[in-house]
Amino acid sequence: MSREHALAIWNAAVDVVRPAPLVRAALEAERAIYTAPRVLVVGAGKAGPGMALGLEEALADRLDRVEGLLNVPAGMTAPLKRIRLHAARPQGVNEPTAEGVAGAEEMLRLLRSAGPDDVAVCLISGGGSALLPAPVEGVSLADKLAVTKLLHRCGATIDEMNCVRKHLSRVKGGRLAEAFRGKRLVSLIVSDVVGDPLDVIASGPTAPDPTTFADALQVLRKYELSRSAPSAVVRYLEAGSTGGHPETLKTIPESVENRVIGSNRVALDAAKRKAEELGYRVLDLGSFVEGETRHVATAVAGVVRSIKRDGAPLNAPACVLLGGETTVTLGANAGKGGRNLEFVAAVVAKLGAELEGVTALSGGTDGEDGPTDAAGAVADSATLAALAEQKITADDFVQRHDAYHLFDRVGGLIRSGLTGTNVMDVRVILVQ
């Protein structure tokens, strides 16, 4: 029953951030949208189809005024009448493409066509940064992709990469909002970033940007990329730092509003309610969990031991919840898996026989974990029995970063399919 409980808690977290009802609820109070002669819809992200459907449902009696498009991964669909879903990249390839650029340019043209009483709605969700590319003049998409790969290889943080990318973009860093000439623009956001920073989610196409051209140049210098980065990139940033190009937006007009309608925190709150409904005492470790996956798993295994042996910080039956997004540092010849699969495998390896009476689950709320067909995995005492029967150990698979094949052999893969939303990860650990 514990495995079923863990899955029910995780599903409750995912269900509460389904995008269509979130958008419908957000638009109920948006009175200007109901009187506007045109409602222009733009945006990008994995939750795009559901968000667009929610908007069309909210405006069902005035759809003739709605027009727009969203950049989404290929193959994503929804029964839409007025909003077009533009395939901006292939499934499973999280890189910008020429198709993505074409969609972004169409959005810029649409927003610039706005009349004084028109309203725009920007729908942003996870994956939006790669899905919304529009390089500045003089910098090619290949140039921008090359510098991003260099920064990633050097270990640059997401903030540092975004700083550079925003200063090479015609839509990021508030520039999408800058193109709008109408009455009001509201950006509805399903966040896939720890802490929900508006300037980081999808690189902030409708949010103010605190960074500068000089900051972007400093990032290249920090990682000694001034010579290896494409010359067009370096020239453009250098010209911008001396006033040759306009800065990203530092403030946004009063007519622009950014509103986070779905987040990891919202998902965890729903998971807590479901766990309490099922009779568990809940320890909520929050949505700011980051760091190396195996290290986080070790810490969580320690909390489990404390609950089992000492009844601290709470007595069983207990449910430990944590969200956020961890990382996996891959070595040579890594196997197949993702951060959620590796987390569960690492908990199993750390607890060993102490997994008896414990259920550990971790899943990506988008239904994907790395390059796999699973959202994550769940493990319990049945996992211990399968390991013993097959004479294998979880630690061997953890060391090879091959957790997918571990759970494919012993059972426990969560194959939810694409959920249509994305608010990072939710982990559920039950202690009886």
Side-chain angles (χ1 to χ4, degrees), residues 4 11 20 26 68 90 102 120 147 178 200 214 221 292 303 316 401:
E4 289 77 7
N11 281 318
V147 73
E178 187 179 35
V200 176
R221 295 187 185 113
E292 188 69 23
V303 173
H401 302 293

mmCIF file of all heavy atoms in Angstrom, residues 4 11 20 26 68 90 102 120 147 178 200 214 221 292 303 316 401:
data_model
loop_
_atom_site.group_PDB
_atom_site.id
_atom_site.type_symbol
_atom_site.label_atom_id
_atom_site.label_comp_id
_atom_site.label_asym_id
_atom_site.label_seq_id
_atom_site.Cartn_x
_atom_site.Cartn_y
_atom_site.Cartn_z
ATOM 1 N N GLU A 4 1.593 2.606 -3.429
ATOM 2 C CA GLU A 4 0.409 3.276 -3.973
ATOM 3 C C GLU A 4 0.215 4.643 -3.339
ATOM 4 O O GLU A 4 -0.151 5.609 -4.017
ATOM 5 C CB GLU A 4 -0.841 2.416 -3.753
ATOM 6 C CG GLU A 4 -0.912 1.165 -4.614
ATOM 7 C CD GLU A 4 -0.016 0.038 -4.122
ATOM 8 O OE1 GLU A 4 0.580 0.172 -3.020
ATOM 9 O OE2 GLU A 4 0.103 -0.978 -4.831
ATOM 10 N N ASN A 11 1.221 12.167 -7.677
ATOM 11 C CA ASN A 11 0.214 12.554 -8.669
ATOM 12 C C ASN A 11 -0.588 13.777 -8.226
ATOM 13 O O ASN A 11 -0.971 14.616 -9.053
ATOM 14 C CB ASN A 11 -0.731 11.382 -8.947
ATOM 15 C CG ASN A 11 -0.120 10.355 -9.885
ATOM 16 O OD1 ASN A 11 0.518 10.718 -10.861
ATOM 17 N ND2 ASN A 11 -0.310 9.081 -9.593
ATOM 18 N N ALA A 20 -3.953 24.169 -17.751
ATOM 19 C CA ALA A 20 -5.230 24.736 -18.204
ATOM 20 C C ALA A 20 -6.037 25.357 -17.067
ATOM 21 O O ALA A 20 -6.464 26.520 -17.160
ATOM 22 C CB ALA A 20 -6.053 23.681 -18.952
ATOM 23 N N ALA A 26 -6.385 32.300 -13.424
ATOM 24 C CA ALA A 26 -5.641 33.561 -13.464
ATOM 25 C C ALA A 26 -6.359 34.618 -14.292
ATOM 26 O O ALA A 26 -6.281 35.814 -13.991
ATOM 27 C CB ALA A 26 -4.237 33.315 -14.022
ATOM 28 N N GLY A 68 -2.644 34.235 -32.138
ATOM 29 C CA GLY A 68 -1.296 34.118 -31.635
ATOM 30 C C GLY A 68 -0.698 32.748 -31.843
ATOM 31 O O GLY A 68 -1.290 31.874 -32.482
ATOM 32 N N PRO A 90 12.787 19.602 -32.052
ATOM 33 C CA PRO A 90 12.371 18.196 -31.957
ATOM 34 C C PRO A 90 12.186 17.784 -30.495
ATOM 35 O O PRO A 90 12.759 18.393 -29.587
ATOM 36 C CB PRO A 90 13.539 17.430 -32.603
ATOM 37 C CG PRO A 90 14.308 18.459 -33.377
ATOM 38 C CD PRO A 90 14.115 19.744 -32.648
ATOM 39 N N ALA A 102 12.067 31.348 -36.226
ATOM 40 C CA ALA A 102 10.935 31.781 -37.064
ATOM 41 C C ALA A 102 9.707 32.065 -36.213
ATOM 42 O O ALA A 102 9.004 33.064 -36.429
ATOM 43 C CB ALA A 102 10.622 30.703 -38.108
ATOM 44 N N ALA A 120 -2.220 41.743 -24.588
ATOM 45 C CA ALA A 120 -1.397 40.580 -24.912
ATOM 46 C C ALA A 120 -1.272 39.674 -23.690
ATOM 47 O O ALA A 120 -1.211 40.153 -22.553
ATOM 48 C CB ALA A 120 -0.011 41.005 -25.381
ATOM 49 N N VAL A 147 28.590 29.509 -28.089
ATOM 50 C CA VAL A 147 29.039 30.120 -26.834
ATOM 51 C C VAL A 147 28.310 29.514 -25.643
ATOM 52 O O VAL A 147 28.893 29.353 -24.561
ATOM 53 C CB VAL A 147 28.876 31.661 -26.878
ATOM 54 C CG1 VAL A 147 27.421 32.087 -26.782
ATOM 55 C CG2 VAL A 147 29.690 32.309 -25.764
ATOM 56 N N GLU A 178 9.059 44.659 -24.580
ATOM 57 C CA GLU A 178 9.419 45.941 -25.182
ATOM 58 C C GLU A 178 8.781 46.107 -26.560
ATOM 59 O O GLU A 178 8.476 47.226 -26.985
ATOM 60 C CB GLU A 178 10.944 46.027 -25.292
ATOM 61 C CG GLU A 178 11.481 47.362 -25.748
ATOM 62 C CD GLU A 178 12.994 47.370 -25.794
ATOM 63 O OE1 GLU A 178 13.592 46.326 -26.119
ATOM 64 O OE2 GLU A 178 13.584 48.424 -25.489
ATOM 65 N N VAL A 200 15.058 34.786 -14.736
ATOM 66 C CA VAL A 200 15.736 33.542 -15.106
ATOM 67 C C VAL A 200 14.800 32.599 -15.858
ATOM 68 O O VAL A 200 15.221 31.907 -16.784
ATOM 69 C CB VAL A 200 16.314 32.843 -13.850
ATOM 70 C CG1 VAL A 200 16.932 31.495 -14.208
ATOM 71 C CG2 VAL A 200 17.338 33.733 -13.173
ATOM 72 N N ALA A 214 28.480 44.630 -19.803
ATOM 73 C CA ALA A 214 29.764 44.489 -19.104
ATOM 74 C C ALA A 214 29.795 43.207 -18.285
ATOM 75 O O ALA A 214 30.823 42.512 -18.220
ATOM 76 C CB ALA A 214 30.001 45.702 -18.203
ATOM 77 N N ARG A 221 35.333 36.459 -19.789
ATOM 78 C CA ARG A 221 36.711 36.596 -19.278
ATOM 79 C C ARG A 221 36.962 35.636 -18.121
ATOM 80 O O ARG A 221 38.042 35.040 -18.003
ATOM 81 C CB ARG A 221 36.962 38.030 -18.826
ATOM 82 C CG ARG A 221 36.910 39.056 -19.962
ATOM 83 C CD ARG A 221 37.330 40.437 -19.492
ATOM 84 N NE ARG A 221 37.158 41.432 -20.537
ATOM 85 C CZ ARG A 221 36.283 42.433 -20.496
ATOM 86 N NH1 ARG A 221 35.490 42.570 -19.437
ATOM 87 N NH2 ARG A 221 36.195 43.288 -21.490
ATOM 88 N N GLU A 292 24.408 18.158 -5.817
ATOM 89 C CA GLU A 292 24.651 16.862 -6.437
ATOM 90 C C GLU A 292 23.632 15.843 -5.935
ATOM 91 O O GLU A 292 23.416 15.710 -4.732
ATOM 92 C CB GLU A 292 26.073 16.399 -6.137
ATOM 93 C CG GLU A 292 26.510 15.168 -6.886
ATOM 94 C CD GLU A 292 26.688 15.400 -8.382
ATOM 95 O OE1 GLU A 292 26.898 16.563 -8.796
ATOM 96 O OE2 GLU A 292 26.608 14.407 -9.135
ATOM 97 N N VAL A 303 17.943 11.383 7.288
ATOM 98 C CA VAL A 303 16.675 11.786 7.900
ATOM 99 C C VAL A 303 15.792 10.561 8.123
ATOM 100 O O VAL A 303 15.145 10.420 9.175
ATOM 101 C CB VAL A 303 15.958 12.822 7.009
ATOM 102 C CG1 VAL A 303 14.563 13.119 7.552
ATOM 103 C CG2 VAL A 303 16.769 14.114 6.919
ATOM 104 N N ALA A 316 6.967 8.101 12.935
ATOM 105 C CA ALA A 316 6.260 7.407 11.872
ATOM 106 C C ALA A 316 4.790 7.202 12.284
ATOM 107 O O ALA A 316 4.498 7.187 13.488
ATOM 108 C CB ALA A 316 6.940 6.068 11.613
ATOM 109 N N HIS A 401 26.061 5.633 -13.087
ATOM 110 C CA HIS A 401 24.973 6.534 -13.507
ATOM 111 C C HIS A 401 24.033 5.795 -14.466
ATOM 112 O O HIS A 401 23.671 6.292 -15.526
ATOM 113 C CB HIS A 401 25.519 7.798 -14.181
ATOM 114 C CG HIS A 401 26.458 8.576 -13.314
ATOM 115 N ND1 HIS A 401 26.055 9.219 -12.168
ATOM 116 C CD2 HIS A 401 27.802 8.801 -13.416
ATOM 117 C CE1 HIS A 401 27.102 9.821 -11.607
ATOM 118 N NE2 HIS A 401 28.164 9.578 -12.340
#
